[in-house]
Amino acid sequence: MLLIWNRPGFVEELSEAERNAIFGEVDEIMKELTESGELVGGEALAHPSQARTVRPAASGGTEITDGPFVESKEQFAGYLTVDCETPERAAEIAARWPDVRHGFGVLEVRAVMEQAGTEM
Amino acid sequence: MTSRAVEDLLRELAPQVLGVLVRRHGQFYACEDAVQEALLAAAVQWPEQGLPNHPRSWLVIVATRRLTDEWRREHARRAREVAVAVRQPAYATVAPPPDEEPPSGDDTLKLLFLCCHPALPVSAQIALTLRAVGGLSTAEIARAYLVPEATMSQRIRRAKQRIEAAGARFTLPSPADRDERLGAVLRVLYLVFNEGYAASSGEALHRAELTAEAIRLARELRRLLPDDGEVAGLLALMLLTDAHRAARTGPDGELVPLAEQDRGRWDRDAVAQGVALVTEALTWSSPGPYQVQAAIAAVHAEAPSAETTDWPQIVALYRVLAHIAPNPMVTLNQAVAVAMVDGPRAGLALLEPLDADGRTAGHHRLAAVRAHLLDLAGDRSDARAAYLAAARATTSLPERRYLQARAARLA
C-alpha cells in the first residue's frame, strides 16, 4: 500500500495550469497501473480540517475532538493499493507520484498483511 | 447433470477446445476469448438442458461461431460495402464435423508452454494458465488472488497481448529450450498450489480450490509426459504436502507446525500415492529438485511421529538438494534437520552465512528458524527476541500470530 502524506492546502497555492499538469500526471499513472493489472484500489481523503479524532478520555470513556490525530506539517491524504511483483516496483511507482516529484509530500510504502501462512 | 459435474467436465475440455481453435485459426488472443464465451454458454445451458451428445464438438462449434462472429464484426467495421462477404456465415464453412479429431494431449502441452512464456511476468503466467488451460473464469481467478476482477481481466488481456507481441508460436519448444520452458510450467503449477495451500481454513474456499486445480493440472501433465521425473516429483510433492491439510490448522485457524500435527489426520491415500510416485520416479530418473523435495516429504510422511522421523536420511536428502539446487531457503530447512541429528548448535552454525545473503538477511523465515533452534538449545531470551523479530517481519497474519504465541511462551 502506498500511503500519501502531504502538506494540506498545497493545491490552493498552484496555478490552474500547474494543477492540471499534476492531475494529468496522476491520470497517466492510474491508466498505466490499470493497464498493467497492478492497480487494486485507492481513495483520496478530504481535507484534515474535516477530520475528527476519537481517543480514550483520561476520565474513562471516549473523547472526540475536531481535527487530525497528529499535528504535523504533512498529513495523511490518501492511499493507493497496488499488487506488484517486488517491493522495488512499488517504490518505483511511489517515486513517480507528483507529491514526491514536486516536493509536496512523501509516500510511505507498506506491505499489506495476508490471511495466508505457510507451515512452520 | 449437476453444475459441479458440468464444471469439472468444462475444465477438462477447455484446453482441448482452445487447442483445436488455435491450431486451426492461429490468433491465440481471439481464440481464447471465444473459448471463454463458449465455456460460459455451456455452464449456463448444460445443467438445464442436459449434455449435448458430443460436448467437445459442441464447444468447438460454439467457440468457432463466436470467433467468426467476431471476425465478421471486424470485417464489417473495416469494409461495410462488402456486405456480400458476410451474408454466408463463415462458420458454415469452418465448423467441423462432430468429433472429427480425437482430443490431442499435445494441444494442452503447447498451451501450457504458451501461457508460461518467458516474455510474461510470473503473475501473468499464472493467471493465463488458470484461464486458458484450467478453464477458470476471470472472476474465479480474481477471487482466488484477492484482486478486483477488472485488475485480473487487465492482467490477462495484457498477458495475451505480450504473447502476441513476442511472436510466440503454438508449438512445442525446441529440444534446446525444452527443459527451461518445462521448468517455467512446473514453477507456475507449484506457485498455484502454494497460493491455495497457504490459505488458512478461515479463508474463502476459492483459494483452497487452487490447490485442487494445481494437482489436477499436474496429473494431466504427468499423463502427457510420463517419462519426466520432475513432473512426477512435482505431483508427488503436491500430494504429500496437501495430505497435511486437515492437520495443519487448529480449531481457531491457527497454524500447527509439522512436528506438532496429529498425524492420524493426514490423508493416507494422498500419502500413499505421493510416496509411490516419487519412489518409482527415483528408480529411473536422475533426481531433480522436485523429486528430492518430494522424497523429503515422503520420509516425514512415513514416520509415526516427529521424534521417530529418520532425520539422518532427511539431512542426506537436503545435502543432495543443496547440491543440485543451491538456495538459502534450502539451507534454512537443512539447518532444522541438522539440529535434529547433531543438536541445535550445529543447526545454528549453518544459519550464520545467511545473515550476509541478501535473499535471506532480515527475512522472517531466517529469524523464525533461528528462534526455533535457540528455543531447542534452551536459550530462552534470545529465542524470544528472534521469534519477535520474525513476527515483525512477516506479512502473514496466521504466521504472525503463531510467532507471537511462541514468543509469549518464553516470556
Side-chain angles (χ1 to χ4, degrees), chain B residues 29 32-33 128 156-164:
Chain B
Y29 192 111
E32 210 273 332
D33 277 344
L128 203 53
I156 290 169
R157 200 170 65 89
R158 177 108 158 161
K160 293 201 287 180
Q161 281 169 348
R162 278 210 201 175
I163 280 191
E164 297 216 325

Side-chain angles (χ1 to χ4, degrees), chain B residues 92-173:
Chain B
T93 55
V94 299
D99 280 358
E100 168 205 19
E101 297 156 90
S104 162
D106 262 11
D107 282 353
T108 303
L109 257 188
K110 287 177 198 162
L111 274 181
L112 275 169
F113 283 119
L114 195 64
C115 294
C116 302
H117 194 274
L120 299 180
V122 176
S123 63
Q125 293 178 350
I126 289 171
L128 203 53
T129 300
L130 286 174
R131 201 171 111 133
V133 191
L136 269 70
S137 73
T138 304
E140 287 171 320
I141 304 168
R143 271 203 303 274
Y145 281 87
L146 310 173
V147 299
E149 192 179 338
T151 299
M152 191 50 82
S153 132
Q154 282 298 338
R155 209 176 275 180
I156 290 169
R157 200 170 65 89
R158 177 108 158 161
K160 293 201 287 180
Q161 281 169 348
R162 278 210 201 175
I163 280 191
E164 297 216 325
R169 308 293 296 272
F170 183 64
T171 52
L172 293 175

Side-chain angles (χ1 to χ4, degrees), chain B residues 8-62:
Chain B
D8 287 347
L9 178 64
L10 289 176
R11 295 231 177 123
E12 187 192 320
L13 294 175
Q16 298 175 13
V17 174
L18 180 52
V20 170
L21 257 74
V22 176
R23 205 151 21 81
R24 285 193 193 142
H25 310 294
Q27 301 195 358
F28 175 71
Y29 192 111
C31 292
E32 210 273 332
D33 277 344
V35 171
Q36 277 290 326
E37 287 183 39
L39 292 174
L40 204 63
V44 175
Q45 291 179 29
W46 294 3
E48 280 178 16
Q49 300 167 11
L51 281 192
N53 287 334
H54 303 281
R56 198 172 69 95
S57 299
W58 189 99
L59 286 169
V60 170
I61 292 167
V62 171

Side-chain angles (χ1 to χ4, degrees), chain B residues 57-384:
Chain B
S57 299
W58 189 99
L59 286 169
V60 170
I61 292 167
V62 171
T64 306
R65 195 176 298 149
R66 298 288 156 106
L67 191 62
T68 46
D69 282 350
E70 183 51 37
W71 283 338
R72 287 159 66 206
R73 271 200 295 278
E74 187 74 5
H75 193 87
R77 269 198 294 274
R78 282 185 198 152
R80 288 186 195 281
E81 70 276 15
V82 199
V84 67
V86 296
R87 198 166 299 148
Q88 158 104 8
Y91 63 83
T93 55
V94 299
D99 280 358
E100 168 205 19
E101 297 156 90
S104 162
D106 262 11
D107 282 353
T108 303
L109 257 188
K110 287 177 198 162
L111 274 181
L112 275 169
F113 283 119
L114 195 64
C115 294
C116 302
H117 194 274
L120 299 180
V122 176
S123 63
Q125 293 178 350
I126 289 171
L128 203 53
T129 300
L130 286 174
R131 201 171 111 133
V133 191
L136 269 70
S137 73
T138 304
E140 287 171 320
I141 304 168
R143 271 203 303 274
Y145 281 87
L146 310 173
V147 299
E149 192 179 338
T151 299
M152 191 50 82
S153 132
Q154 282 298 338
R155 209 176 275 180
I156 290 169
R157 200 170 65 89
R158 177 108 158 161
K160 293 201 287 180
Q161 281 169 348
R162 278 210 201 175
I163 280 191
E164 297 216 325
R169 308 293 296 272
F170 183 64
T171 52
L172 293 175
S174 68
D177 289 343
R178 189 183 170 281
D179 281 357
E180 201 187 323
R181 297 289 300 278
L182 181 59
V185 171
L186 295 178
R187 186 176 60 231
V188 161
L189 297 187
Y190 189 50
L191 288 172
V192 170
F193 175 84
N194 271 335
E195 187 76 23
Y197 188 68
S200 64
S201 60
E203 276 227 298
L205 286 171
H206 308 296
R207 283 162 72 76
E209 277 172 16
L210 288 176
T211 320
E213 182 59 20
I215 291 176
R216 190 181 74 83
L217 291 175
R219 276 193 206 281
E220 176 69 9
L221 192 58
R222 158 113 180 108
R223 200 176 60 73
L224 299 171
L225 298 175
D227 299 329
D228 193 292
E230 278 297 84
V231 173
L234 175 63
L235 177 57
L237 178 60
M238 287 178 178
L239 290 168
L240 288 164
T241 309
D242 194 44
H244 303 170
R245 174 182 294 284
R248 68 182 285 268
T249 44
D252 302 319
E254 74 276 16
L255 291 174
V256 181
L258 193 63
E260 292 168 24
Q261 288 176 11
D262 173 2
R263 295 182 182 218
R265 301 181 67 199
W266 286 2
D267 178 345
R268 295 325 302 188
D269 276 354
V271 166
Q273 274 187 53
V275 169
L277 256 173
V278 65
T279 311
E280 198 259 342
L282 283 168
T283 60
W284 50 262
S285 162
S286 63
Y290 290 115
Q291 288 164 82
V292 178
Q293 289 180 77
I296 292 168
V299 176
H300 280 298
E302 286 175 329
S305 68
E307 297 72 40
T308 52
T309 304
D310 185 352
W311 288 106
Q313 168 81 347
I314 289 183
V315 168
L317 286 167
Y318 271 121
R319 207 168 290 139
V320 174
L321 187 57
H323 180 70
I324 55 176
N327 177 317
M329 288 300 172
V330 171
T331 315
L332 275 180
N333 293 324
Q334 197 179 358
V336 175
V338 165
M340 298 304 287
V341 177
D342 299 327
R345 293 287 162 197
L348 284 164
L350 223 55
L351 298 182
E352 262 163 44
L354 299 184
D355 286 321
D357 190 319
R359 290 168 294 180
T360 38
H363 196 285
H364 75 275
R365 282 251 156 210
L366 174 55
V369 169
R370 178 168 280 140
H372 172 64
L373 298 184
L374 287 165
D375 199 355
L376 286 179
D379 187 342
R380 294 174 65 95
S381 93
D382 284 355
R384 183 175 131 79

